[in-house]
């Protein structure tokens, strides 16, 4: 049954039709054309679809779009402000934390979720925060380093 | 070859492509949704081996939003089969986009639903009823060879679908006379590449133009174009294949798949864009699988540890369609590895089973060989009570012997094995480690040290198959910016950066003004798939050649105007000037203007414009064997020495990697940052293969590890302390001296970690011959060893 829903995504209000079974990730990608959020498994095991939902990093393949009706969502596209990369994005670039880029948006959002709550995370805390995000390319080392470096320059 | 390597080649330049990936503006196939797109979902075989008696699609056709349903038989009437396989013993088999009379593995596509969206397509596949006549599953490759076994391909008359034999004279005598013979059965278990982006395809037939555009997450766009043309009988020139950003491949996306060939047909039939993005479960079941070789292998040695010869019998499980028999040959040709062994024999058999088709995976074939050989060396060291490093140092090919022709005819370009091994031992503090191990054992801590020395032949070439050369077309635009059209696609390797570094170094065009286009068959010159690490070995040199041709042209134009010989000119800072009289100069922009506009000022016989194509041919390749069956099919030989330290918890079976130290030689590095990152990822993939990942089939041929739940990829918390170092021995046969950096990392962990665990558990006499080393398996090994009388 299609239902009309309204979400605030990256600070902008969007309305659209969603079936009761439409996943949030598909709604973001197909209805709102926000394709930065990726799909790697649709069963909550890879983290490529991670977004911020009401202030917490979640896997958007584990949420129905209708559950997010009236809520606030931030996707990777929302990290860029005034065409300037967010310190986390800059740090991923500088530390070569990216190869194919497929896991990257989800990694960034998990890191963003962590730094919202903890401005000075240890390596262990960082690894734990991204342990639900799989990367097959980089071996994670540079990602952890990038998040650590960005923690110092973190802005909301 | 002696060529200067000038900056920015060799610098840790920040990757160009990363900017779009961090900002979420990368473009992968799944991100594309042209108006009017229809979506497909596949009905897949629920059993491993069966004849299809009937398929009833009536109910599915009546489902909401369903536009069409096709079975294998419907499709087979309209497309040509792809001819795949073909080997020393078997003619190629016909592969249709959907199974026709028979299914040969669990998950094989046999019908397709086309619907308005992916949810509706998935709903409808459940309504398709398939009636099977069950046939026995063929799961165990050794049993599959026995007479009377059910046949995967009846027309072949046997499940043995590939044979390779090689032997040096007198090999049996070497074994008869040997003081010591080590004999083992070791298996490399079945795994898969598992990029985080699954496969994804979008075909769009444009009726008005009568053209077809295929977006595919492929690592092999030019070959794919040819195959589409062949099976749907459509002119190749009217097909454009575009691999946009591709989320990793590691071999699995270099091959052509059934679904990939079907979509163009559907789009032509229905006149709409047709899209399919596979699910993770489909990827595990249908993406190519790798490894899975059983080796019955023996090594003859002197008591002092001198290696004399190897005899091997390989049984390789090729799955249902055996498209890539060279995995077997690659293993068979390199079983002597980095050692001076000139007596060798091998009998290799490829066996068809009712499993997912075997195919490319980072280190294909060579990873099996290096794993099994390095385990064998370790077992020999333990038995002879010789230190595993000493045993290796005693038998390595010495640096002065390169280029070295191995026993099977492979030509190793260069190497310093002794140096790499010694440096790794120093870095890891090997002597101290052995001391610590004794101390810890007294405290009940089971620490193990594993040594391995792996070599990864790269840039393969085979007749009619792949890889003989690569090319880059380079244009300097009238504006002064440059565009490079690369013949190979990329899936995370950073070509947009490394190619730009090379072209900047040659032409003086600033790095930031160079754009690299790849993965699109329309503007790029023909080339082969990104695999076998051939981008470093042939693609980058082709960019170098293009850069050199361009440079020569620019200098030629300057020479005429400055009246200075080209060899006395230099490009720097946007100018070309005389080396001895820098005040005699001309701006690069002026040269560009001349080439395009003032062509009366060009040297005689020079073509106008600034556009060149550089080719580079894979060096030292033999396309046919010599009279003794010897041949070289790879052109570069990077390698790595490894020392892994582990602690094994004998209560839980858990393995903790205390430290992983490695020295890697991939020759010159175009961008050391990119090499480091790739190597870290490659090592983690190897750790996954050794400890966590396994594709397991039950006796009915059902794949039981088909999601991230039961096929576990390593995560961030499992990254051990890594010590990485490089030594550089350039490949003397390529202009850049690079050997390929992406694969060697993955080869190290399986042998090093298995040897380390065996070392840790040596008080129990545990023998590690099966992998991965999951906690269950480790506990089992301990239990089994305790039940049998202990060894020393
Ligand atoms: S797509 Fe959501 S976790 Fe994998
Ligand atoms: S960069 Fe490719 S999966 Fe992480």
């Amino acid at each position: 049954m299609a239902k009309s829903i309204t979400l605030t995504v990256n600070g902008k209000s969007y309305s659209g039709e969603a079936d009761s079974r439409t996943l949030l990730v598909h709604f973001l990608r197909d209805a709102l054309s926000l394709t930065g959020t990726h799909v790697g498994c649709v069963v909550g095991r890879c983290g490529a679809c991670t977004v911020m939902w009401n202030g917490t990093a979640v896997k958007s393949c584990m949420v129905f779009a209708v559950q997010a009706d009236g809520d606030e969502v931030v996707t990777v596209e929302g990290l860029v402000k005034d065409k300037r990369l967010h310190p986390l994005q800059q740090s991923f670039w500088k530390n070569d934390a990216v190869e194919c880029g497929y896991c990257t948006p989800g990694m960034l959002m998990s890191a963003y979720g962590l730094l919202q709550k903890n401005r000075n995370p240890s390596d262990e805390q960082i690894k734990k925060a991204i342990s639900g995000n799989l990367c097959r390319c980089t071996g994670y080392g540079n990602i952890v380093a990038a998040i650590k470096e960005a923690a110092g320059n973190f802005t909301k | 070859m002696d060529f200067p390597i000038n900056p920015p080649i060799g610098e840790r330049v920040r990757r160009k492509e990363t900017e779009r990936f961090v900002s979420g503006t990368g473009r992968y196939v799944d991100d594309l949704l042209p108006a009017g797109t229809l979506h497909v979902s596949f009905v897949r075989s629920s059993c491993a081996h069966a004849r299809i008696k009937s398929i009833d699609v009536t109910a599915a056709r009546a489902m909401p939003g369903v536009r069409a349903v096709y079975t294998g038989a419907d499709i087979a009437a309209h497309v040509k089969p792809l001819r795949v396989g073909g080997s020393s013993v078997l003619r190629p088999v016909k592969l249709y986009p959907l199974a026709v009379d028979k299914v040969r593995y669990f998950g094989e596509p046999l019908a397709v639903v086309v619907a308005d969206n992916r949810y509706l397509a998935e709903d409808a596949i459940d309504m398709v009823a398939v009636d099977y006549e069950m046939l026995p599953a063929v799961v165990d490759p050794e049993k599959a060879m026995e007479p009377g076994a059910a046949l995967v391909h009846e027309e072949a008359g046997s499940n043995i679908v590939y044979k390779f034999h090689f032997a040096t004279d007198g090999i049996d005598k070497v074994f008869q006379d040997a003081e010591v013979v080590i004999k083992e059965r070791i298996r490399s278990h079945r795994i898969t590449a598992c990029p985080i982006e699954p496969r994804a395809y979008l075909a769009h037939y444009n009726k008005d133009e009568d053209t077809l555009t295929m977006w595919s997450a492929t690592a092999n766009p030019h070959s794919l174009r040819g195959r589409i043309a062949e099976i749907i009988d459509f002119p190749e020139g009217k097909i454009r294949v575009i691999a946009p950003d591709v989320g990793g491949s590691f071999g699995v996306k270099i091959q052509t798949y059934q679904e990939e060939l079907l979509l163009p047909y559907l789009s032509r039939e229905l006149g709409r864009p047709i899209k399919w993005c596979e699910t993770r479960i489909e990827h595990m079941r249908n993406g190519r699988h790798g490894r899975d070789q059983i080796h019955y292998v023996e090594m003859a040695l002197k008591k002092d540890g001198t290696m004399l010869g190897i005899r091997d019998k390989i049984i390789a499980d090729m799955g249902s369609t055996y498209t890539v028999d060279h995995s077997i040959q690659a293993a068979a040709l390199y079983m002597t590895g980095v050692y001076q062994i000139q007596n060798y024999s091998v009998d290799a058999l490829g066996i068809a089973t009712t499993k997912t088709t075997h195919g490319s995976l980072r280190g294909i074939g060579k990873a099996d060989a290096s794993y099994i050989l390095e385990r064998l060396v370790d077992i020999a060291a333990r038995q002879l009570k010789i230190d595993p490093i000493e045993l290796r140092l005693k038998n390595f090919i010495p640096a002065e012997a390169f280029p070295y022709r191995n026993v099977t005819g492979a030509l190793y370009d260069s190497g310093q094995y002794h140096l790499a091994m010694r440096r790794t031992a120093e870095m890891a503090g090997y002597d101290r480690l052995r001391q610590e191990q004794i101390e810890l054992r007294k405290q009940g801590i089971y620490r193990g040290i594993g040594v391995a020395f792996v070599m990864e032949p790269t840039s393969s070439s085979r007749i009619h198959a792949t890889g003989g050369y690569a090319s880059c077309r380079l244009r300097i635009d009238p504006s002064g910016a440059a565009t490079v059209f690369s013949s190979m696609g990329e899936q995370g390797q950073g070509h947009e950066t490394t190619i730009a570094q090379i072209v900047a170094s040659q032409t003086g065009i600033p790095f930031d003004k160079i754009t690299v286009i790849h993965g699109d068959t329309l503007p790029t010159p023909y080339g082969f798939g990104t695999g076998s690490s051939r981008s470093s070995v042939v693609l980058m040199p082709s960019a170098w050649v293009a850069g050199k041709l361009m440079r020569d042209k620019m200098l030629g134009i300057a020479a005429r105007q400055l009246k200075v010989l080209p060899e006395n000119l230099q490009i720097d800072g946007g100018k070309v000037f005389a080396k001895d009289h820098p005040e005699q100069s001309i701006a690069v922009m002026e040269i560009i203007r001349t080439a395009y506009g003032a062509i009366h000022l060009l040297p005689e016989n020079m073509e106008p414009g600034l556009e060149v194509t550089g080719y580079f041919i894979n060096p030292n390749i033999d396309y046919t064997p010599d009279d003794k069956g010897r041949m070289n099919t790879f052109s570069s030989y990077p390698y790595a020495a490894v020392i892994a330290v582990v602690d094994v918890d004998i209560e839980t079976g858990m393995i903790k990697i205390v430290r992983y130290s490695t020295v890697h030689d991939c020759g010159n590095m175009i961008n050391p940052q990119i090499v480091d990152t790739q190597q870290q990822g490659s090592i983690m993939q190897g750790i996954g293969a050794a400890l966590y990942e396994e594709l397991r089939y039950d006796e009915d041929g059902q794949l039981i590890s088909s999601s991230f739940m039961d096929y576990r990829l390593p995560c961030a918390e499992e990254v051990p302390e890594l010590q990485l170092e490089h030594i550089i021995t350039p490949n003397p046969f390529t202009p850049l001296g690079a050997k390929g950096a992406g694969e060697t990392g993955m080869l190290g962990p399986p042998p090093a970690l298995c040897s380390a665990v065996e070392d840790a558990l040596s008080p129990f006499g545990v023998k590690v011959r099966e992998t991965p080393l999951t906690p269950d398996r480790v506990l089992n090994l301990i239990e089994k060893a305790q039940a049998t009388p202990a060894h020393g």
Side-chain angles (χ1 to χ4, degrees):
Chain A
M1 215 15 58
K3 185 179 169 218
S4 167
I5 59 171
T6 303
L7 278 69
T8 305
V9 183
N10 303 330
K12 274 204 277 183
S13 173
Y14 290 92
S15 297
E17 296 272 299
D19 274 340
S20 53
R21 62 175 175 167
T22 303
L23 301 176
L24 178 60
V25 65
H26 288 146
F27 185 78
L28 292 169
R29 291 175 50 82
D30 299 344
L32 307 187
S33 300
L34 291 167
T35 54
T37 304
H38 295 156
V39 181
C41 71
V42 275
V43 291
R45 302 297 290 202
C46 77
C49 64
T50 307
V51 301
M52 296 293 289
W53 179 29
N54 292 338
T56 305
V58 298
K59 291 167 175 166
S60 62
C61 70
M62 294 277 91
V63 178
F64 292 113
V66 292
Q67 285 176 277
D69 189 11
D71 292 348
E72 190 154 346
V73 171
V74 183
T75 69
V76 66
E77 289 93 343
L79 295 184
V80 182
K81 292 264 153 59
D82 305 324
K83 301 210 172 128
R84 276 184 59 86
L85 295 179
H86 186 276
L88 260 171
Q89 294 169 310
Q90 281 171 10
S91 184
F92 267 56
W93 195 3
K94 180 169 159 230
N95 287 281
D96 203 40
V98 177
E99 283 182 34
C100 77
Y102 203 75
C103 71
T104 308
M107 281 289 178
L108 284 164
M109 296 320 290
S110 286
Y112 185 82
L114 168 71
L115 298 190
Q116 289 276 348
K117 300 199 168 104
N118 180 353
R119 292 297 162 83
N120 191 17
S122 65
D123 281 7
E124 296 332 307
Q125 288 168 325
I126 293 172
K127 287 180 181 176
K128 193 164 183 350
I130 60 165
S131 65
N133 292 76
L134 297 175
C135 174
R136 195 54 147 173
C137 298
T138 66
Y140 304 105
N142 295 356
I143 296 176
V144 174
I147 296 171
K148 186 127 184 157
E149 190 179 305
N153 313 325
F154 189 71
T155 47
K156 273 204 172 181
Chain B
M1 283 190 203
D2 184 22
F3 293 103
I5 304 290
N6 295 323
I9 297 177
E11 293 182 349
R12 300 177 86 88
V13 180
R14 207 163 69 144
R15 289 187 359 151
K16 278 174 184 283
E17 44 277 81
T18 302
E19 185 170 17
R20 65 176 184 272
F21 295 144
V22 294
S23 51
T25 53
R27 285 253 123 176
Y28 303 84
V29 173
D30 194 12
D31 301 342
L32 308 167
L33 195 62
T37 297
L38 297 177
H39 300 258
V40 302
S41 190
F42 291 91
V43 181
R44 296 182 179 279
S45 166
S46 59
C47 47
H49 195 193
R51 233 170 279 290
I52 301 170
K53 279 163 63 183
S54 65
I55 304 177
D56 184 355
V57 300
T58 341
R61 281 212 175 105
M63 290 287 285
V66 170
R67 301 299 178 114
V69 184
Y70 299 89
T71 66
D74 300 336
I75 301 292
H78 300 284
V79 302
K80 285 193 201 153
L82 195 69
R83 294 163 72 78
V84 296
S87 73
S88 51
V89 293
L90 190 68
R91 62 179 186 278
V93 289
K94 291 178 183 167
L95 181 69
Y96 284 96
L98 298 171
V100 186
D101 307 318
K102 187 172 150 171
V103 289
R104 293 187 174 82
Y105 67 94
F106 173 60
E108 182 167 7
L110 51 83
V112 64
V113 170
V114 187
D116 289 342
N117 68 45
R118 72 184 93 197
Y119 290 78
L120 297 173
E122 277 173 30
D123 289 342
I125 59 171
D126 293 338
M127 306 304 291
V128 173
V130 186
D131 192 9
Y132 299 103
E133 176 195 329
M134 299 300 263
L135 297 168
V138 183
V139 181
D140 179 337
E142 295 187 87
K143 288 196 186 129
M145 292 158 56
E146 289 167 6
L151 295 180
V152 182
H153 296 275
E154 285 84 358
E155 68 275 28
S158 164
N159 288 326
I160 301 174
V161 293
Y162 176 81
K163 283 184 190 168
F164 178 81
H165 170 76
F166 178 88
T168 52
D169 295 340
I171 178 75
D172 292 337
K173 179 98 175 60
V174 172
F175 275 81
Q176 268 164 30
D177 299 348
E179 291 171 353
V180 184
V181 174
I182 311 282
K183 206 169 168 172
E184 292 291 341
R185 176 190 189 274
I186 307 176
R187 175 170 166 257
S188 57
H189 67 274
R190 191 170 261 252
I191 54 174
T192 185
C194 234
I196 305 303
E197 179 203 34
R199 293 179 297 141
Y201 312 123
L202 169 64
H204 187 182
Y205 172 70
N206 183 320
K207 220 185 287 168
D208 300 334
E209 294 175 0
D210 191 32
T211 57
L212 178 84
T213 305
M214 174 79 176
W215 288 269
S216 169
T218 179
N220 206 351
H222 288 280
S223 306
L224 174 58
R225 184 170 81 134
R227 290 188 160 174
I228 294 171
E230 188 185 327
I231 95 146
I232 64 168
D233 199 12
F234 193 69
E236 192 170 0
K238 285 175 167 251
I239 302 173
R240 177 178 183 184
V241 173
I242 302 174
D245 289 324
V246 177
S249 166
F250 319 105
V252 77
K253 290 174 183 165
I254 204 167
Q255 347 228 268
T256 311
Y257 288 88
Q258 286 169 293
E259 300 92 340
E260 201 171 13
L261 294 169
L262 179 63
L263 264 58
Y265 168 77
L266 295 178
S267 183
R268 235 179 125 202
E269 275 297 293
L270 300 169
R272 298 271 292 268
I274 306 283
K275 180 171 172 178
W276 177 65
C277 299
E278 79 181 337
T279 64
R280 181 57 53 183
I281 289 178
E282 287 178 304
H283 186 75
M284 306 305 285
R285 289 179 185 165
N286 299 80
R288 297 279 191 269
H289 293 172
R291 312 288 188 260
D292 213 354
Q293 295 184 352
I294 298 165
H295 288 230
Y296 288 91
V297 60
E298 340 171 45
M299 182 184 273
L301 302 102
K302 287 194 202 164
K303 275 200 196 110
D304 70 358
T306 307
M307 297 174 188
L308 300 172
I310 290 181
R311 267 194 311 213
D312 195 9
K313 178 177 178 186
I314 305 175
I315 297 165
D317 186 336
M318 304 310 288
S320 68
T321 325
Y322 53 88
T323 54
V324 185
D325 50 21
H326 66 258
S327 62
I328 310 175
Q329 212 187 55
L333 293 174
Y334 292 100
M335 274 306 294
T336 58
V338 290
Y339 306 106
Q340 305 183 68
I341 299 175
Q342 288 291 342
N343 299 296
Y344 174 61
S345 76
V346 62
D347 277 291
L349 303 174
I351 311 299
T353 60
T354 55
K355 294 182 191 157
T356 300
T357 303
H358 186 279
S360 286
L361 165 63
R362 210 171 205 173
I364 177 173
K366 296 129 351 173
D368 307 73
S370 76
Y371 165 63
I372 285 150
L373 172 62
E374 285 304 293
R375 286 295 298 130
L376 196 64
V377 171
D378 200 75
I379 293 163
R382 189 167 298 283
Q383 189 160 327
L384 292 170
K385 300 199 166 40
I386 300 177
D387 180 273
I389 292 185
E390 283 311 312
L391 183 60
R392 286 176 171 86
L393 291 173
K394 191 175 178 66
N395 290 284
F396 279 150
I397 298 159
E400 57 284 4
F402 290 93
Y404 176 85
R405 186 68 75 184
N406 92 349
V407 62
T408 62
L411 188 73
Y412 298 3
D413 63 285
S414 62
Q416 305 181 71
Y417 303 157
H418 291 87
L419 177 66
M421 190 72 255
R422 289 202 173 102
R423 180 65 205 124
T424 311
E426 214 174 282
M427 186 164 82
Y430 186 68
D431 298 334
R432 197 186 62 240
L433 285 175
R434 287 287 176 205
Q435 273 310 313
E436 275 171 19
Q437 183 180 35
I438 297 168
E439 297 299 313
L440 288 168
R441 230 169 242 172
K442 288 182 197 147
Q443 303 163 31
I445 294 173
Y446 290 85
R447 172 155 298 185
I449 303 156
V451 178
F453 201 101
V454 293
M455 183 193 59
E456 164 67 26
T458 60
S459 202
S460 67
S461 275
R462 300 168 77 234
I463 302 176
H464 303 313
T466 171
Y469 61 90
S471 50
C472 275
R473 190 153 58 81
L474 164 61
R475 181 200 299 145
I476 297 179
D477 299 319
S479 67
T483 312
V484 191
F485 303 92
S486 156
S487 67
M488 271 159 65
E490 80 137 78
Q491 308 84 38
Q493 296 86 348
H495 293 176
E496 292 175 32
T497 303
T498 43
I499 289 177
Q501 285 178 266
I502 292 165
V503 169
S505 160
Q506 287 274 15
T507 61
I509 301 291
F511 172 78
D512 289 334
K513 289 194 160 184
I514 301 170
T515 304
V516 178
I517 308 286
H518 54 81
D520 182 343
T521 58
L522 185 65
T524 64
Y526 192 85
F528 301 97
T530 312
S532 197
S533 296
R534 68 171 65 78
S535 26
S536 304
V537 187
V538 288
L539 179 69
M540 297 301 147
S542 80
W544 192 92
V545 171
K548 174 149 186 359
L549 291 171
M550 185 63 86
R551 179 187 180 87
D552 289 348
K553 186 160 190 185
M554 292 163 76
L555 294 184
I557 298 170
R560 171 162 176 196
Q561 300 206 15
L562 298 174
K563 304 199 171 40
V564 178
L565 289 174
E567 51 271 32
N568 296 331
L569 292 172
Q570 194 173 326
I571 307 184
D572 201 4
K575 274 190 278 191
V576 175
F577 52 86
K579 285 178 195 158
D580 301 334
H581 302 280
E583 69 286 355
Q584 275 182 279
S585 73
I586 174 171
V588 168
M589 269 321 289
E590 199 48 44
I591 295 173
I592 296 170
R593 272 193 286 272
T594 306
Y596 283 104
I599 57 172
H600 62 290
L601 296 177
L602 293 177
E604 217 175 313
N605 296 327
M606 183 184 276
E607 288 168 356
L610 288 172
E611 186 152 341
V612 296
T613 303
Y615 285 91
F616 190 76
I617 294 173
N618 218 1
N620 297 328
I621 299 292
D622 301 319
Y623 287 96
T624 45
D626 70 7
D627 56 347
K628 296 214 156 72
R630 293 177 300 200
M631 65 193 293
N632 180 47
T633 54
F634 290 81
S635 69
S636 230
Y637 292 84
Y639 58 90
V642 179
I643 296 178
V645 182
V646 303
D647 284 344
V648 182
D649 183 330
I650 61 161
E651 303 297 322
T652 61
M654 297 282 281
I655 295 163
K656 179 176 162 39
I657 305 174
V658 179
R659 200 177 316 107
Y660 188 94
S661 312
T662 180
V663 171
H664 180 213
D665 182 357
C666 60
N668 288 331
M669 291 180 268
I670 299 160
N671 184 325
Q673 174 70 76
I674 290 179
V675 171
D676 280 350
T677 312
Q678 265 205 31
Q679 208 199 345
Q680 290 173 43
S682 199
I683 290 169
M684 280 315 288
Q685 199 168 6
I687 290 174
L691 302 186
Y692 314 123
E693 300 172 30
E694 181 180 24
L695 293 163
R696 286 189 314 278
Y697 283 86
D698 69 11
E699 56 199 25
D700 298 326
Q702 301 269 336
L703 179 63
I704 44 184
S705 43
S706 56
S707 76
F708 283 147
M709 241 79 94
D710 29 36
Y711 188 93
R712 207 161 71 69
L713 265 49
C715 76
E717 288 182 295
E718 286 147 350
V719 181
E721 183 189 333
L722 292 178
Q723 286 184 307
L724 307 182
E725 252 188 40
H726 295 278
I727 59 172
I728 294 173
T729 323
N731 179 333
F733 304 108
T734 72
L736 294 161
K739 303 183 188 184
E743 299 181 276
T744 322
M746 184 167 183
L747 270 47
L753 293 175
C754 289
S755 294
V757 168
E758 195 166 284
D759 186 44
L761 300 178
S762 59
F764 301 99
V766 158
K767 290 184 177 183
V768 175
R769 303 294 181 268
E770 297 274 332
T771 44
L773 291 171
T774 55
D776 277 358
R777 183 168 271 132
V778 171
L779 289 178
N780 254 323
L781 284 171
I782 296 173
E783 210 170 289
K784 219 165 73 191
Q786 278 175 327
T788 51
H791 321 211

